[in-house]
Amino acid sequence: MRVASRVARIDPFYVMECAKAADRIAASPACDPARGGEPMIYLNIGEPDFTAPPGVQRAAEACLAAGRTQYTPALGLPALRERIAGWYRTRWGVDVDPARIAVTAGASAALQLVCLALFEAGDEVLMPDPSYPCNRHFVAAAGGTARLVPAVPAARFQLDAGSVAAHWTPATRGVLLASPSNPTGTSIAPAEMAAIAETVRERGGVTIVDEIYLGLGYDEAFGHTALALGEDIVSINSFSKYFSMTGWRVGWVVLPTALVGAVEKLAQNLFICPSTVAQHAALACFEPEAIDEYERRREEFRRRRDFIVPELQKLGLAVPVVPDGAFYAWADCSRYSPSSWDFCMQMMERAHVAMTPGRDFGPAAAERYLRLSFANSMAQLEAAIARLARELR
């Protein structure tokens, strides 16, 4: 059977390959407590250990009990679009017209729709290296090319206006950024984000910002949405991370008014609509008791960050830039191995701690860095550090 050539332009998702290896080792006698083994500690996947709060779960149950499971409009429930707009106003001080908001089947669907609406064969999109691999694959699936620009610790592993200007070519269509970033947990300072947006604007391009970790910020200097910079900014967001609804698959995108019709047409054909039950549940995310719980969880993630980063530094796994958001530490393991892939596999085998090697996130520092997710409990993080210390010392 002939497979479409676009598939060859998309790399495997090595995070998932590592997860398979971790599960295989976890099923071995070495990880079986009944045989004296130690269970695998998973610090490889970016998924909060918190689930949807009780109020959100009750909203889903009420939706099912009332039989409200029919299709919604392709761009989502009007009430949910209003609630999201209200969140931008009260939390971020930005007025967003609900008509510019499209509710999607997770941030992944939002990125796919935006890339299909904007990019085609021959278009290049600038992205930092390191960056989340699926973002560049959405560009490739639309026929475009993600052009990775090495980003250094001094720039917080992010692009800046100077690097955007230096790498812009006649084929460049725009930039796709993430703030806070996966895998580094670092954000772009508001002044630099404004300079990037203006640099792109002057060249007739589009600025897309993945802001799915926006709610999980720990430093007021960086906790700002790029939407404050103008209506031409495209912002991707999700209920998965801050709102703890990973498997519910509901997200959204804030679009320039001129792009709404194109995205709606694509959404109608590709997705019909996001999950109706998930949308009704997401309405409850903005209730005061839910926000209070999310803020408590954000502080818990901050506490975990403040524990794990110094401990990694003590072990010689340097974290050049302390993450100001999300729940990742981007750590340098070159002191112990020339290959982060080999190092992570060894730690899975010996310490029974699963981490993600840098291979997924771009070639610039793939062999040097690994990503550790501190979305797990403090008890698990403490145990992981003890095991790593045992093996590395």
Side-chain angles (χ1 to χ4, degrees):
M1 179 180 294
R2 183 177 67 85
V3 176
S5 61
R6 70 175 62 88
V7 177
R9 299 195 296 270
I10 296 175
D11 297 327
F13 197 3
Y14 293 109
V15 168
M16 296 307 175
E17 295 302 313
C18 290
K20 291 178 188 177
D23 288 340
R24 175 182 55 78
I25 296 167
S28 69
C31 290
D32 184 355
R35 304 186 191 186
E38 43 186 26
M40 183 69 68
I41 296 176
Y42 292 91
L43 306 182
N44 56 325
I45 301 297
E47 182 168 33
D49 57 330
F50 303 113
T51 59
V56 175
Q57 296 182 40
R58 288 194 299 270
E61 292 166 357
C63 174
L64 289 170
R68 296 198 302 270
T69 57
Q70 296 82 9
Y71 293 138
T72 73
L75 296 185
L77 289 169
L80 183 54
R81 298 164 76 189
E82 291 277 357
R83 287 286 183 95
I84 293 168
W87 188 65
Y88 280 112
R89 185 169 53 255
T90 58
R91 177 67 181 268
W92 309 108
V94 175
D95 285 323
V96 175
D97 184 350
R100 294 174 51 207
I101 297 171
V103 182
T104 57
S108 296
L111 281 158
Q112 182 184 21
L113 290 167
V114 167
C115 288
L116 288 173
L118 289 172
F119 308 132
E120 54 194 3
D123 289 341
E124 288 185 353
V125 182
L126 299 182
M127 299 173 61
D129 179 352
S131 59
Y132 183 58
C134 295
N135 288 5
R136 65 179 184 266
H137 297 157
F138 287 121
V139 173
T145 300
R147 187 175 179 198
L148 298 181
V149 178
V152 297
R156 304 182 58 76
F157 295 113
Q158 295 278 6
L159 296 187
D160 55 28
S163 62
V164 170
H167 290 86
W168 197 278
T169 74
T172 307
R173 181 75 176 88
V175 297
L176 175 48
L177 312 169
S179 183
S181 164
N182 176 2
T184 65
T186 63
S187 300
I188 301 173
E192 193 61 52
M193 183 72 81
I196 293 171
E198 186 58 30
T199 299
V200 173
R201 196 175 286 133
E202 289 171 350
R203 289 158 176 77
V206 60
T207 298
I208 305 168
V209 188
D210 177 345
E211 296 190 315
I212 69 170
Y213 295 99
L214 180 65
L216 291 175
Y218 316 116
D219 187 332
E220 288 299 319
F222 298 103
H224 304 272
T225 174
L227 290 170
L229 301 175
E231 188 184 313
D232 59 336
I233 304 296
V234 178
S235 172
I236 308 292
N237 217 310
S238 172
F239 287 94
S240 289
K241 310 300 183 178
Y242 175 75
F243 296 102
S244 305
M245 294 179 69
T246 51
W248 298 70
R249 306 316 301 137
V250 60
W252 74 87
V253 55
V254 181
L255 300 159
T257 300
L259 197 57
V260 172
V263 168
E264 182 175 20
K265 184 194 301 185
L266 289 166
Q268 290 168 338
N269 284 277
L270 296 180
F271 296 101
I272 307 298
C273 71
S275 163
T276 299
V277 175
Q279 289 187 73
H280 280 286
L283 285 167
C285 290
F286 302 102
E287 295 298 323
E289 61 270 22
I291 294 295
D292 288 345
E293 175 61 17
Y294 291 133
E295 286 300 291
R296 185 194 70 77
R297 294 175 179 186
R298 181 169 70 96
E299 288 306 311
E300 174 59 18
F301 283 130
R302 184 203 301 270
R303 189 171 77 95
R304 296 175 187 180
R305 178 203 63 172
D306 291 346
F307 165 75
I308 200 70
V309 171
E311 292 299 322
L312 290 172
Q313 306 277 32
K314 291 176 188 175
L315 291 176
L317 296 171
V319 181
V321 186
V322 175
D324 62 83
F327 34 62
Y328 305 111
W330 187 238
D332 185 342
C333 64
S334 60
R335 172 177 173 179
Y336 297 103
S337 175
S339 166
S340 65
W341 182 273
D342 292 345
F343 178 82
C344 288
M345 291 299 171
Q346 289 166 5
M347 291 303 100
M348 276 195 278
E349 291 279 2
R350 292 162 44 191
H352 305 131
V353 175
M355 299 173 287
T356 300
R359 182 177 296 181
D360 255 330
F361 305 104
E367 296 302 313
R368 190 179 188 95
Y369 287 94
L370 60 85
R371 187 194 73 179
L372 180 147
S373 167
F374 52 87
N376 214 324
S377 70
M378 183 64 82
Q380 291 279 278
L381 295 175
E382 290 171 345
I385 289 295
R387 293 187 195 176
L388 291 171
R390 178 190 71 202
E391 298 300 328
L392 297 179
R393 289 173 179 165

